[in-house]
Structure formats: structure tokens, C-alpha cells
């Protein structure tokens, strides 16, 4: 399996990459880690005329703390997230989530920016980003704009990223001290996409929920934010009754596509179960 | 038609140069242009790990890397692990622990284990199992592979 022919470009700066995108037009695709795009090209589901490889742009890599947020270069790999001491301390949800992505070899190449911008609802980063209330820096010919993760994902393979823009940085506000977190993912085997998965960030005040974010992977045409479940839980204690109702409300918004991982009914049920488990695990970790 | 590119990199410590179309995959350059047939082609869909090579200190599946992405890279394949006629501790351990049956997955499995032990010289059984979870073996049930990696880790630690 060999991709159709294309021309290859390896710019050394974001400015050069943006310029190239403008010159080459819609025939060009950005190459990040290549572990979604290259398989699609090998199967001839994608046949771009030009690949603009972001792999040589040093400014697109790295994880740092800046004021009240964590900034992650879009070409930072899932492997680097997994091994980051800064993230383990400040944003452990991202470390837990990265560990569920694909397999070790894929994580050495796969990038956080590619995972997000591919727009595949089966990818894991979109739900993690929604739960963490992240923002994305999009760089284009007119400069930078910052958009919220919530609202970025428009549909299957469709995001707010314009054809002449590059996702350059991910910004994550530092979670409140004592926040609980969990990413629960059901998959058939290593390397598979989620049958269902739920990301949760939870802040408690005493015995009741101060704030909660719940995001669902592979449960619809894009990542889904379980807003009704979030609103219901606010101010409630976490117990069997509230967990059941939150899971029910999350399941209500699911529209999964039946495939070899299961029919729609099964996938919806598993989404409910992952939501319940993620809330329980986050609750066990939360210090309010 | 796409323009062919010259790509230079180090393969098992030796500088090499190939001229390839951008669409050529690393596994094909290694096997067909550079006569390194240790890395195997298994699934061709980045699942099985038979084509695993070490690229700039990362384990990667050479079926999902373009050769043009490797300009200036340092690549190690199974052929590069033996030194001066002596097998690498991992190769010796796979032999001693019977860590293979048909052998098809073995070059990828050992190359992956090589990087795993560089990053984690004293892995638990669970570390090894998750560390090699991107490499499929359809013969052994993994038991002896895990034993071989454990045995090699001990020998490498003892050799310091």
C-alpha cells in the first residue's frame, strides 16, 4: 500500500509553513505525526497534491507553564505528554488520557495537534480538551486567533481550522487545586479506537459538586459535551442516584455509528458506563 | 509528477543516501534500496509492529513513515544490534528463552524492546507487556517474549 504521488515540503518556521499553505492552496495538507493521514493516504482515501511537513519546526514543540495556563506546542507527541513531569503534576488528566492512545510506536509519532485537528470523533484528545476547557491558537496569514475547544469541532473531520491556518499551540488553564480527573476508555484491544470513552474534570466543595466537565469520545459525529449531565450534577452529592441520572443524561445525547465495535444500543450503554466510572474515579481523586 | 528527493541518514551508524519519490515509505527504502530486510512488512497498516525500527531514539513503524521525513536521522534496525560478531543481550535472551516460534515478529519485537530498555532499564512485567503492546506475535502467547526481555534487562544491568 503506497500513497498516490505528492510533492513534499519541510518548512523550518511557522511563518514559512503558513506562506507555503497560501501558495499551494487546497491541494496541500499538513503532515503532523502522520499516523492518521498517512494510513488514509495509503488506502487512497486521501490524495493531497502536496504535503507540508511540520516536523522540522522546533517552535511547535514543548510543554511550558505560563501564568495560569499550560502551553503545549501542537507538534508535541503523545509520548512526550505521557513522560512530562510538569503535566503529571499540573494536568494529570492529559497524562492518563495520552496513555490510552494507540500504542507505544504510534505515540512516539502522533502529536496532540494532529489528534485534535484531524477532527475524528474517535480520537481521544478532543474529549480531553473539552474537559480541560482548553483553547487553541490558530495561526494564519493574518496572524493568530485563539478559539475555545468547546465549539472548535464542527462535524466529522471538520473543525474551525481554516484551509490557510495551522493549529500551533494548545492552552490549558491550570485546573483548580484539588480537582479530580479521569479518562475511562473501553477498547477491544491495544491500538483500537474507543468503543466508548468519557473524560471528566471534577471540583468538589464539601460533599457537593462545585463544577464538573464531562466529554464523550466516539459517541457522535464529533466529540460531545454532556451539558445536561453537567448542569444536573452541579450542587449535588456524588452517589448512586446522581451517578445514574448523570449517566442517563449523557447517554441521551449519544448518536454513535454502529460498526464492528458494536451496535448503537451497546455503544450508548457503554458510554453511560464509562461516564459513571469516570465520575466515580474523579470523585475519589477530588479533594474538596 | 512528484519530484524525487535525495535523502541522507545514518543507518546502523553508517551514512547512506537514497533518491526517492516523496511517497516512498521508509520500510521500502530499507528493504528494497538498502538491502536491510530485517524489518518485516506485516500488516502495512501500523498495527502489527513487524516493521519497527529505531528512529532518532524512538520506536517507529517504518510502514507509516515517509523516507523523506528521515533526512539527517539516525536509524537502527535489527541488523545494527549485533556488535563485533556478538549478539545483543536481547537477541541472546530471545534465543535462550525461546522468545520466538516462526520469527516473523522478532526483529520488530527486539528493536522495540531495545528502546524500551533504554528508557526503562528495570521494567516490571506490566511495563514490558504495555511497552511491547504495539507488536503482535501470533505464535508465542508472549510469555517467553516477556521472559526474554526480563532476562536481557538483568544482563544489561549487570554489565552496567
Amino acid at each position: 500500500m503506497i500513497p498516490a504521488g505528492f510533492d513534499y515540503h519541510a518548512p523550518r518556521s511557522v511563518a514559512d509553513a503558513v506562506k507555503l499553505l497560501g501558495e499551494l492552496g487546497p491541494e496541500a495538507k499538513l503532515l503532523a505525526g502522520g499516523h492518521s493521514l498517512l494510513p488514509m493516504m495509503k488506502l487512497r482515501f486521501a490524495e493531497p497534491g502536496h504535503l507540508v511537513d511540520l516536523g522540522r519546526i522546533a517552535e511547535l514543540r514543548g510543554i511550558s507553564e505560563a501564568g495560569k495556563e499550560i502551553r503545549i506546542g501542537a507538534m508535541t507527541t503523545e509520548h512526550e505528554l505521557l513522560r512530562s513531569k510538569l503535566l503529571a503534576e499540573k494536568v494529570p488528566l492529559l497524562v492518563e488520557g495520552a496513555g490510552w492512545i494507540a500504542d507505544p510506536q504510534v505515540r512516539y509519532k502522533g502529536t496532540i495537534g494532529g489528534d485534535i485537528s484531524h477532527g475524528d470523533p474517535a480520537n481521544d484528545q478532543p474529549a480531553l480538551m473539552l474537559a480541560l476547557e482548553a483553547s487553541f491558537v490558530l495561526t494564519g496569514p493574518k496572524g493568530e486567533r485563539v478559539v475555545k475547544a468547546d465549539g472548535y469541532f464542527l462535524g466529522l473531520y471538520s473543525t474551525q481550522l481554516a484551509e490557510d491556518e495551522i493549529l500551533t499551540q494548545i492552552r490549558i488553564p491550570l485546573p483548580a487545586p484539588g480537582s479530580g480527573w479521569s479518562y475511562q476508555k473501553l477498547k477491544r484491544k491495544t491500538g483500537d479506537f474507543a468503543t466508548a470513552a468519557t473524560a471528566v474534570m471534577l471540583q468538589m466543595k464539601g460533599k457537593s459538586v462545585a463544577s464538573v466537565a464531562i466529554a464523550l469520545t466516539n459517541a457522535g459525529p464529533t466529540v460531545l459535551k454532556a451539558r445536561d449531565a453537567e448542569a444536573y450534577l452541579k450542587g449535588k452529592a456524588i452517589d448512586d442516584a446522581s451517578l445514574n441520572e448523570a449517566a442517563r443524561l449523557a447517554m441521551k445525547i449519544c448518536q454513535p455509528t454502529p460498526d464492528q465495535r458494536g451496535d448503537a444500543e451497546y455503544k450508548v450503554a457503554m458510554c453511560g458506563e464509562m461516564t459513571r466510572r469516570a465520575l466515580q474515579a474523579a470523585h475519589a481523586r477530588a479533594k474538596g | 509528477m512528484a519530484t524525487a528527493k535525495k535523502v541522507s541518514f545514518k543507518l546502523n551508524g553508517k551514512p547512506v543516501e537514497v533518491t526517492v519519490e516523496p511517497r516512498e515509505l521508509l520500510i521500502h527504502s530499507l528493504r528494497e534500496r538498502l538491502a536491510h530486510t530485517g524489518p518485516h512488512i506485516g500488516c502495512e497498516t501500523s498495527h502489527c509492529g513487524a516493521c519497527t525500527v529505531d528512529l532518532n531514539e524512538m520506536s517507529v513503524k517504518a510502514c507509516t513513515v515517509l523516507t523523506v521525513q528521515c533526512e539527517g536521522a539516525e536509524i537502527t534496525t535489527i541488523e545494527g544490534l549485533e556488535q563485533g560478531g556478538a549478539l545483543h543481550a536481547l537477541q541472546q535472551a530471545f534465543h535462550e528463552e525461546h522468545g520466538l516460534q516462526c520469527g516473523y515478529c522478532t526483529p520488530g519485537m527486539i528493536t522495540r524492546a531495545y528502546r524500551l530498555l533504554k528508557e526503562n532499564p528495570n521494567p516490571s512485567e506490566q511495563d514490558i507487556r504495555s511497552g511491547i503492546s504495539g507488536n503482535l506475535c501470533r505464535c508465542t502467547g508472549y510469555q517467553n517474549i516477556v521472559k526474554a526481555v526480563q532476562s536481557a534487562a538483568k544482563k544489561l544491568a549487570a554489565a552496567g
Side-chain angles (χ1 to χ4, degrees), chain A residues 3-206:
Chain A
F6 57 85
D7 273 316
Y8 174 81
H9 311 265
R12 300 293 177 127
S13 69
V14 171
D16 285 352
V18 169
K19 194 160 163 263
L20 263 172
L21 269 187
E23 286 164 9
L24 299 170
E27 276 291 291
K29 281 287 280 180
L30 293 171
L31 177 65
H35 277 59
S36 298
L37 181 57
L38 293 179
M40 287 177 92
M41 288 170 63
K42 287 164 71 178
L43 294 165
R44 309 278 172 122
F45 291 148
E47 298 189 10
H50 298 270
L51 278 191
V52 177
D53 185 358
L54 301 178
R56 304 261 161 193
I57 305 179
E59 62 190 292
L60 285 178
R61 291 182 89 132
I63 306 167
S64 61
E65 190 174 347
K68 290 185 174 170
E69 61 188 18
I70 296 287
R71 296 183 170 183
I72 305 175
M75 286 294 288
T76 305
T77 65
E78 314 282 13
H79 179 80
E80 288 162 344
L81 301 181
L82 201 51
R83 290 175 73 91
S84 163
K85 289 197 175 77
L86 179 63
L87 289 181
E89 189 193 334
K90 305 283 169 111
V91 196
L93 175 66
L94 203 44
V95 180
E96 178 165 280
W100 282 101
I101 294 169
D103 66 38
Q105 283 94 321
V106 176
R107 289 194 293 263
Y108 281 106
K109 292 296 284 179
T111 64
I112 182 171
D115 186 314
I116 290 166
S117 281
H118 189 44
D120 186 339
N123 281 359
D124 298 286
Q125 287 291 359
L128 299 170
M129 294 298 109
L130 284 192
L132 290 166
E133 296 175 353
S135 301
F136 305 141
V137 180
L138 312 182
T139 307
K142 289 178 195 152
E144 286 183 354
R145 62 186 178 121
V146 182
V147 300
K148 285 194 171 359
D150 193 0
Y152 180 74
F153 303 97
L154 303 176
L156 188 63
Y157 303 130
S158 170
T159 69
Q160 281 196 36
L161 187 72
E163 250 170 23
D164 58 357
E165 285 180 318
I166 299 170
L167 167 59
T168 47
Q169 192 182 68
I170 291 89
R171 294 181 178 174
I172 299 171
L174 286 173
S179 295
W181 76 93
S182 181
Y183 190 57
Q184 295 286 320
K185 178 174 176 179
L186 174 68
K187 55 180 182 176
R188 298 172 304 171
K189 62 177 212 32
T190 295
D192 195 17
F193 290 110
T195 304
T198 301
V200 165
M201 284 298 294
L202 176 69
Q203 211 185 325
M204 299 296 290
K205 192 174 178 189

Side-chain angles (χ1 to χ4, degrees), chain A residues 1-8 31 34-35 38-39 42 44 51 53 56 79 83 103-105 108-109 190, chain B residues 2-3 5 22-23 25 44-45 52 58-61 63-64 68-69 71 112 115 119 130-131 133-135:
Chain A
M1 288 189 294
I2 294 167
F6 57 85
D7 273 316
Y8 174 81
L31 177 65
H35 277 59
L38 293 179
K42 287 164 71 178
R44 309 278 172 122
L51 278 191
D53 185 358
R56 304 261 161 193
H79 179 80
R83 290 175 73 91
D103 66 38
Q105 283 94 321
Y108 281 106
K109 292 296 284 179
T190 295
Chain B
T3 324
K5 289 208 181 260
R23 64 179 179 158
L25 301 165
E44 282 191 87
T45 54
T52 299
M58 305 179 288
S59 300
V60 301
K61 296 179 177 179
C63 77
T64 311
V68 287
Q69 290 176 282
E71 175 62 39
R112 169 59 196 139
R115 181 53 47 196
E119 289 181 355
S130 56
S133 63
N135 295 73

Side-chain angles (χ1 to χ4, degrees), chain B residues 102-119:
Chain B
C102 86
Y104 200 83
C105 73
T106 313
M109 201 62 90
I110 291 180
T111 313
R112 169 59 196 139
Y114 168 77
R115 181 53 47 196
L116 172 67
L117 292 186
K118 289 269 185 201
E119 289 181 355

Side-chain angles (χ1 to χ4, degrees), chain A residues 204-209 235-238 283 288:
Chain A
M204 299 296 290
K205 192 174 178 189
K207 293 213 163 172
S208 49
V209 172
K236 301 257 184 345
I238 297 282
H283 183 231

Side-chain angles (χ1 to χ4, degrees), chain B residues 37-107:
Chain B
T37 54
H40 290 161
I41 297 175
C43 68
E44 282 191 87
T45 54
S46 52
H47 285 97
C48 79
C51 63
T52 299
V53 301
D54 203 68
L55 168 72
N56 293 338
E57 305 188 339
M58 305 179 288
S59 300
V60 301
K61 296 179 177 179
C63 77
T64 311
V65 175
L66 301 168
T67 304
V68 287
Q69 290 176 282
C70 300
E71 175 62 39
E74 298 207 8
I75 297 175
T76 304
T77 65
I78 187 74
E79 288 94 338
L81 292 187
E82 179 192 306
Q83 294 294 328
L87 291 180
H88 187 277
L90 273 161
Q91 293 171 307
Q92 188 64 35
F94 269 65
H95 168 66
E96 286 167 7
E97 300 291 337
H98 200 61
L100 62 145
Q101 288 178 31
C102 86
Y104 200 83
C105 73
T106 313

